[in-house]
């Protein structure tokens, strides 16, 4: 069995695959390394042979998790590292080591599937976009706050904005002008997100006309999915790139 880990800024996304067919046996999201081990401990007949990880957390946090997995399951964890090129993609940053590993693996995974020009949109805590030309040249991208960050900033810095997650979800049943604070905030942030996506599509069309593929991933992908009827929605896009960066030996 293979353990795959995506250690983001807010959560650890994990999944366990069969080594032979790559079938997903179990998957989930946790808050911490300790919670991950507790969840894995509840999987019947778990027998890990391999482990691989991508992390945007500190080196100390990543090393701690690697050590816990080695101690509990006796396997080494292969960690994705920055690279000037991977899977046919050439890193577009002047200093390739500064491109976030989550973005890097997502765009590599998208290019491997598209085998042509692609726009990669990842809607998580932050929202990122990346442009990859048909020849595999990464043209760069953009980063802006995602829904969680926009929502948090308004709640933190505006005293009268107070509501819970259930109210936020209810507010998004429509994008009509809000008649309450929660509706105004949630719908306003969603429209900002959609506006960002529109500009990315316009830019991709300026580059490639209609000859490109859009890839959509991240926890808030559903907020813009209806705008992109031809997009490929791939929730585990980073794991596609992770398998390329850390192949089984």
């Amino acid at each position: 069995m293979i353990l795959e880990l995506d250690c983001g800024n807010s959560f650890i996304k994990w999944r366990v695959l069969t080594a032979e067919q790559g079938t997903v046996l179990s998957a989930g999201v946790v808050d911490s390394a300790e919670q991950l081990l507790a969840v894995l401990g509840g999987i019947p007949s778990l027998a890990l042979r391999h482990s691989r990880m991508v992390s945007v957390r500190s080196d100390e946090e990543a090393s701690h998790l690697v050590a816990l997995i080695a101690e509990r399951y006796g396997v080494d964890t292969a960690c994705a590292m920055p690279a000037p090129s991977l899977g046919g993609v050439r890193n577009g940053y002047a200093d390739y080591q500064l491109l976030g590993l989550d973005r890097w693996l997502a765009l590599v995974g998208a290019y491997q599937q598209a085998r042509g020009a692609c726009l990669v949109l990842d809607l998580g805590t932050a929202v990122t976009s990346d442009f990859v030309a048909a020849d595999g040249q990464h043209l760069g991208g953009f980063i802006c706050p995602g829904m969680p960050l926009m929502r948090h900033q308004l709640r933190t810095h505006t005293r009268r904005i107070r509501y819970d997650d259930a109210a936020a979800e209810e507010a998004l049943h429509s994008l009509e002008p809000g008649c309450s604070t929660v509706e105004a905030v949630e719908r306003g942030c969603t429209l900002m997100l959609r506006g960002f996506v529109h500009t990315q599509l316009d830019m991709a069309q300026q580059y490639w006309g209609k000859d490109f593929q859009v890839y959509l991933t991240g926890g808030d992908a559903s907020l813009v999915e209806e705008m992109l009827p031809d997009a490929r929605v791939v929730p585990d896009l980073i794991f596609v790139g992770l398998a390329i960066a850390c192949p089984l030996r």
Side-chain angles (χ1 to χ4, degrees):
M1 296 180 184
I2 307 165
L3 174 64
E4 294 187 329
L5 301 168
D6 171 16
C7 302
N9 292 301
S10 302
F11 304 103
I12 299 174
K13 189 175 182 180
W14 64 273
R15 66 181 191 176
V16 174
L17 316 175
T18 60
E20 294 76 17
Q21 291 82 27
T23 304
V24 177
L25 298 175
S26 189
V29 178
V30 295
D31 295 326
S32 66
E34 290 71 21
Q35 188 179 2
L36 172 66
L37 291 184
V39 172
L40 292 177
I43 299 176
S45 304
L46 180 65
L48 296 181
R49 293 173 52 195
H50 305 280
S51 175
R52 53 193 175 203
M53 176 175 74
V54 54
S55 175
V56 297
R57 300 187 174 194
S58 68
D59 292 341
E60 291 76 14
E61 288 176 293
S63 296
H64 175 61
L65 180 51
V66 167
L68 288 176
I69 293 170
E71 179 181 352
R72 176 71 61 87
Y73 296 103
V75 297
D76 294 328
T77 298
C79 297
M81 301 297 291
S85 63
L86 178 67
V89 180
R90 298 183 299 282
N91 195 312
Y93 268 31
D95 183 347
Y96 70 87
Q97 298 184 75
L98 297 181
L99 176 60
L101 276 172
D102 50 352
R103 286 175 61 196
W104 175 234
L105 294 188
L107 67 91
V108 167
Y111 184 76
Q112 280 288 305
Q113 294 190 351
R115 293 296 179 178
C118 52
L119 167 63
V120 184
L121 298 169
D122 189 343
L123 282 69
T125 302
V127 171
T128 64
S129 68
D130 282 286
F131 299 79
V132 185
D135 65 356
Q137 180 61 51
H138 174 223
L139 304 179
F142 298 94
I143 305 172
C144 71
M147 287 291 287
L149 287 177
M150 287 191 283
R151 185 184 295 123
H152 175 73
Q153 287 299 307
L154 285 170
R155 286 177 174 177
T156 301
H157 297 289
T158 308
R159 292 184 180 181
R160 291 184 179 272
I161 294 180
R162 295 289 184 272
Y163 56 85
D164 59 23
D165 292 340
E169 185 175 350
E170 178 66 26
L172 288 176
H173 288 171
S174 165
L175 287 179
E176 295 295 321
C179 292
S180 66
T181 299
V182 60
E183 291 179 352
V185 169
E186 292 297 316
R187 296 174 188 179
C189 290
T190 299
L191 290 176
M192 289 188 69
L193 190 63
R194 291 187 170 202
F196 174 81
V197 170
H198 270 303
T199 63
Q200 306 313 292
L201 288 174
D202 288 344
M203 191 169 294
Q205 289 167 357
Q206 291 172 19
Y207 279 134
W208 306 306
K210 295 183 178 180
D211 192 17
F212 67 96
Q213 180 66 56
V214 179
Y215 282 82
L216 190 59
T217 190
D220 283 328
S222 61
L223 295 179
V224 301
E225 193 172 348
E226 68 181 45
M227 296 172 53
L228 306 165
D230 297 324
R232 297 184 185 178
V233 182
V234 187
D236 294 328
L237 190 57
I238 288 178
F239 286 140
V240 177
L242 179 58
I244 298 168
C246 302
L248 300 181
R249 304 189 186 283

